[in-house]
Amino acid sequence: MKKIINTPENFIPEMLEGIYAAHPGEVTCAGEDLHCLVNARKHPGKVGIATGGGSGHLPLFLGYVGEGMLDGCSIGDVFQSPSPEQMLAVTKEIDQGAGVLYIYGNYNGDIFNFDMAAEMADMEEDIRVESVVAGEDVASAAPAAEGEPNKRRGVAGIFFVYKCAGAAAAAGKDLDEVKRVAEKACANVRTMGVALTSCTVPRLGHPSFEIGEDEMEIGMGIHGEPGIRRGKLKSADEIVDEMLEPILKDLPFREGDEVAVLVNGLGGTPLEEQYVMFRRIRQTLDARGIKVYHTWVGEFATSMEMAGASISLMRVDTELKEYLAAPADTPFYKQFQL
Amino acid sequence: MKKIINTPENFIPEMLEGIYAAHPGEVTCAGEDLHCLVNARKHPGKVGIATGGGSGHLPLFLGYVGEGMLDGCSIGDVFQSPSPEQMLAVTKEIDQGAGVLYIYGNYNGDIFNFDMAAEMADMEEDIRVESVVAGEDVASAAPAAEGEPNKRRGVAGIFFVYKCAGAAAAAGKDLDEVKRVAEKACANVRTMGVALTSCTVPRLGHPSFEIGEDEMEIGMGIHGEPGIRRGKLKSADEIVDEMLEPILKDLPFREGDEVAVLVNGLGGTPLEEQYVMFRRIRQTLDARGIKVYHTWVGEFATSMEMAGASISLMRVDTELKEYLAAPADTPFYKQFQL
């Protein structure tokens, strides 16, 4: 295990100390627990938005707490859900009289703990909480049938959900409206990933899975959940084609649609390679008559040092474009008005 | 070699196609050569600032072309200098009547080619060009004696030089003044790196150097140039201490000084680990009575997938703080007014 850390046990607390020390005035701690991070700036009357999940995915989740995006976040240890008590502490801190929206990824541990926190917030604190669970990884399950729960994992596409809901809340919309925007973003985003190497959870000390020196796995999740096909490493264009086709078919994205594109590095894949991927994505979208509204390339949801990437597309309309275009200012994500 | 590319020969041209496709209206190509990238927005009368160097270091060099930073950049293939003709093409495109400043790292190939481009710009185009060569890696050579040339390599600290000079140019300062600001930033910045793994140049297909599974090299350069000590991987705090001490001694940074801090990931080291490093940096600076003006943590100058990091400190005064605080908006680096 080759990491710049002190001990596995102190990895996340010390990372958090570093974050608070590096961004004073931007983020602060809700109470005594470093794992509960909130925007240092308050906006009375604004809907509060919280997220959370396991550590090891920076800039997800902490990174999007700030102006125009999220108000708070609680995190657990690497790949571990935060507790209901931690979520409740964040919820109490970010409620500004207009209720709180939870937006988080579709993982059982998170659902259980967020639901419990929502219940405690309602019963003990009289704070109204609504939840939107993002699950847009097309490799992780078939689309949910009418009336059935969505079984898909939430991955990097949640960035678009944060961005749109965050902009709606910043624009003064009420909780129902912010929730509607978040759900609309969820409904229109699809993601697929590819992994080239594993990452190592510090407390375990060995790679989460084995993968050959010449192999890749299409559709792998950001904690190493199984993908849909493992095989020899192919060319960038072939990899992109194999990831993009299921995305396009799933929604489906059609000629005349307009999309936001996110190419997300998983941690160990250089930005150079991510742009080689975007070149092919753009060629394919152009050929299909799908217009690109705006493109994001970089690391938005990682698995520490894992090599690989994901592609997310969100179909946009005038409303979603307006929210995507709004400025945002967090320690990890800054955007001027588009 | 585990990379998402098509062919080693097309890696950089295809990366560039991806960058132009992803950021229309922000960056554009000077002439026909994709390797010559300029800000799509013009500012008549403003001093033009250009940089350049080998590819494989994103967001360096291309990434800082935009509002409030650089006007143009030419790049070569991976770790290869651009040609004088490419630099000249950029120079002609970005001259807005006030002359052009070159800011680049202290490498022989770059110096030779930039000097030739400056001469051609003067002789053939009547464009006045001045140059500032950044070389702040304390591990790479002893400090230059009075009147001797600086032999130190330029690494991530050049980000601060771009930021300050870019803000001075955006504020309407003339060429001499922008050059003075760049030189002042250079004189006050110091960097030290550590590498945990090598990277692989695609055309070579094998790692640039061998390093044991339990080893690190303190002071290694961003192309794998030898460092000052190779040994067993230590704890994050020990690594930071070993990097920070030579930086502090070199300038030297003294009690009462105020500094800008840059923790830079080399590509393969997760953001989580970089914040663990910053925690220790901050503890040490606090203990020494050195005040932190502002902190940047992330990937600013990489070696593709190399694991490792560097620490840069710049001593700041009212003038440098004002330039650091100014907004910037490039495809890869965005900052609101601090």
Side-chain angles (χ1 to χ4, degrees):
Chain A
M1 182 173 65
K2 215 160 186 181
K3 291 177 186 284
I4 305 178
I5 63 174
N6 289 306
T7 65
E9 293 68 31
N10 289 337
F11 176 42
I12 296 305
E14 291 183 352
M15 171 198 88
L16 287 164
E17 285 179 35
I19 289 175
Y20 291 112
H23 306 291
E26 294 183 89
V27 290
T28 186
C29 187
E32 299 289 301
D33 187 343
L34 294 178
H35 297 75
C36 303
L37 182 145
V38 297
N39 188 356
R41 296 149 290 193
K42 300 294 171 200
H43 302 285
K46 191 184 89 69
V47 169
I49 306 181
T51 191
S55 292
H57 303 299
L58 281 180
L60 198 69
F61 298 88
L62 301 169
Y64 303 118
V65 173
E67 297 296 285
M69 291 190 82
L70 310 176
D71 299 277
C73 171
S74 64
I75 56 155
D77 207 81
V78 176
F79 299 174
Q80 302 293 321
S81 187
S83 70
E85 290 72 23
Q86 289 171 322
M87 275 310 304
L88 181 64
V90 167
T91 307
K92 286 162 65 176
E93 188 67 29
I94 69 169
D95 177 49
Q96 296 167 104
V100 171
L101 179 66
Y102 292 167
I103 303 174
Y104 58 96
N106 193 16
Y107 298 92
N108 287 337
D110 291 326
I111 293 171
F112 183 85
N113 290 331
F114 276 84
D115 279 352
M116 190 169 294
E119 202 167 307
M120 294 192 293
D122 177 33
M123 306 277 282
E124 300 169 18
E125 310 293 337
D126 203 26
I127 299 170
R128 182 179 160 213
V129 175
E130 293 288 334
S131 295
V132 172
V133 181
E136 89 293 6
D137 183 343
V138 299
S140 55
E146 190 69 29
E148 290 296 308
N150 178 17
K151 291 183 178 166
R152 288 178 164 174
R153 298 185 294 258
V155 283
I158 201 169
F159 165 75
F160 286 142
V161 185
Y162 293 155
K163 182 70 192 67
C164 291
K173 304 296 178 188
D174 68 16
L175 181 54
D176 289 328
E177 179 67 1
V178 176
K179 183 183 182 187
R180 183 189 64 76
V181 170
E183 286 175 336
K184 181 175 172 179
C186 283
N188 282 284
V189 66
R190 295 293 184 277
T191 298
M192 172 81 96
V194 63
L196 273 61
T197 68
S198 178
C199 62
T200 295
V201 176
R203 285 183 197 261
L204 301 180
H206 57 77
S208 302
F209 57 89
E210 297 298 323
I211 184 165
E213 258 312 301
D214 59 349
E215 284 186 322
M216 63 174 185
E217 185 158 329
I218 298 278
M220 180 165 272
I222 58 173
H223 311 92
E225 297 93 338
I228 50 178
R229 192 180 75 78
R230 182 176 286 207
K232 297 284 179 201
L233 183 64
K234 293 189 168 185
S235 73
D237 288 355
E238 289 170 310
I239 293 170
V240 167
D241 291 351
E242 192 169 343
M243 294 163 76
L244 195 51
E245 200 54 44
I247 291 174
L248 292 172
K249 273 191 185 150
D250 195 86
L251 191 64
F253 295 88
R254 293 197 179 92
E255 186 174 347
D257 282 348
E258 192 167 1
V259 296
V261 182
L262 172 64
V263 180
N264 171 57
L266 292 182
T269 286
L271 206 41
E272 286 85 358
E273 297 174 32
Q274 297 168 39
Y275 276 101
V276 171
M277 293 178 68
F278 177 69
R279 167 185 170 273
R280 180 63 169 189
I281 295 168
R282 181 60 190 270
Q283 286 176 345
T284 303
L285 295 177
D286 285 351
R288 305 284 180 99
I290 297 168
K291 188 178 167 194
V292 174
Y293 167 61
H294 195 78
T295 302
W296 286 259
V297 181
E299 294 182 353
F300 290 79
T302 65
S303 296
M304 294 184 290
E305 71 279 17
M306 183 185 285
S310 65
I311 301 169
S312 301
L313 297 189
M314 181 170 74
R315 186 171 56 194
V316 295
D317 60 6
T318 305
E319 181 184 47
L320 291 180
K321 286 196 285 186
E322 186 187 319
Y323 290 136
L324 285 176
D329 186 9
T330 83
F332 298 70
Y333 184 73
K334 295 180 196 301
Q335 175 189 307
F336 289 88
Q337 179 78 37
L338 296 183
Chain B
M1 182 172 67
K2 215 161 189 181
K3 290 177 186 283
I4 304 178
I5 64 173
N6 289 306
T7 66
E9 294 68 30
N10 289 338
F11 175 43
I12 296 306
E14 291 183 351
M15 171 199 85
L16 287 164
E17 286 180 36
I19 289 176
Y20 291 113
H23 306 292
E26 294 183 89
V27 291
T28 186
C29 187
E32 299 290 300
D33 188 342
L34 294 179
H35 297 75
C36 303
L37 180 145
V38 297
N39 188 355
R41 295 147 290 191
K42 301 295 171 198
H43 301 285
K46 191 185 87 71
V47 169
I49 306 181
T51 192
S55 292
H57 302 299
L58 281 181
L60 199 69
F61 297 90
L62 301 169
Y64 303 117
V65 173
E67 298 296 285
M69 291 191 80
L70 310 175
D71 300 277
C73 171
S74 64
I75 55 154
D77 207 81
V78 176
F79 299 173
Q80 301 292 321
S81 186
S83 72
E85 291 72 21
Q86 289 171 323
M87 274 312 304
L88 181 64
V90 167
T91 307
K92 287 162 65 175
E93 188 68 29
I94 69 168
D95 177 50
Q96 296 168 105
V100 170
L101 178 66
Y102 292 166
I103 302 174
Y104 58 95
N106 193 16
Y107 298 93
N108 287 337
D110 291 326
I111 293 171
F112 183 86
N113 290 330
F114 275 84
D115 279 353
M116 189 169 293
E119 202 167 304
M120 293 192 296
D122 177 34
M123 305 278 281
E124 299 169 17
E125 309 292 337
D126 204 24
I127 299 170
R128 183 180 160 211
V129 174
E130 294 288 335
S131 295
V132 172
V133 181
E136 90 290 7
D137 183 344
V138 300
S140 56
E146 190 69 30
E148 290 296 309
N150 179 15
K151 291 182 178 167
R152 288 178 165 175
R153 298 185 294 259
V155 283
I158 201 169
F159 165 76
F160 286 142
V161 185
Y162 293 156
K163 182 70 193 66
C164 292
K173 305 296 180 188
D174 69 16
L175 182 54
D176 290 328
E177 179 68 359
V178 176
K179 183 183 182 188
R180 182 189 64 74
V181 170
E183 286 175 334
K184 180 175 172 179
C186 282
N188 284 284
V189 68
R190 295 293 184 275
T191 299
M192 173 80 94
V194 62
L196 272 61
T197 69
S198 178
C199 62
T200 295
V201 176
R203 285 184 197 263
L204 302 179
H206 57 79
S208 302
F209 57 89
E210 296 297 324
I211 183 163
E213 258 312 300
D214 59 348
E215 286 186 322
M216 63 174 185
E217 186 158 329
I218 298 277
M220 178 165 274
I222 58 172
H223 311 93
E225 297 93 337
I228 50 178
R229 191 181 75 79
R230 182 177 288 207
K232 298 283 180 202
L233 183 65
K234 293 190 169 186
S235 73
D237 287 356
E238 289 170 310
I239 293 170
V240 167
D241 291 350
E242 191 168 343
M243 293 163 76
L244 195 52
E245 201 53 44
I247 291 174
L248 292 172
K249 273 192 184 148
D250 195 88
L251 191 62
F253 295 88
R254 292 197 180 91
E255 185 174 347
D257 282 348
E258 192 168 2
V259 295
V261 181
L262 172 63
V263 180
N264 170 57
L266 293 181
T269 286
L271 204 44
E272 285 85 358
E273 296 174 33
Q274 297 167 40
Y275 276 101
V276 171
M277 293 178 68
F278 178 69
R279 167 185 169 274
R280 181 64 169 190
I281 295 167
R282 180 62 189 270
Q283 285 177 344
T284 303
L285 295 177
D286 285 351
R288 304 285 179 99
I290 297 168
K291 187 179 168 194
V292 174
Y293 167 61
H294 195 79
T295 303
W296 286 259
V297 180
E299 294 182 354
F300 289 80
T302 65
S303 296
M304 295 183 291
E305 72 278 15
M306 184 184 285
S310 65
I311 300 169
S312 301
L313 298 189
M314 182 169 75
R315 185 171 55 195
V316 295
D317 61 6
T318 305
E319 181 184 46
L320 291 181
K321 285 196 285 186
E322 185 186 320
Y323 289 136
L324 285 176
D329 186 9
T330 82
F332 298 71
Y333 183 73
K334 295 181 196 301
Q335 177 189 306
F336 289 88
Q337 179 79 36
L338 296 183

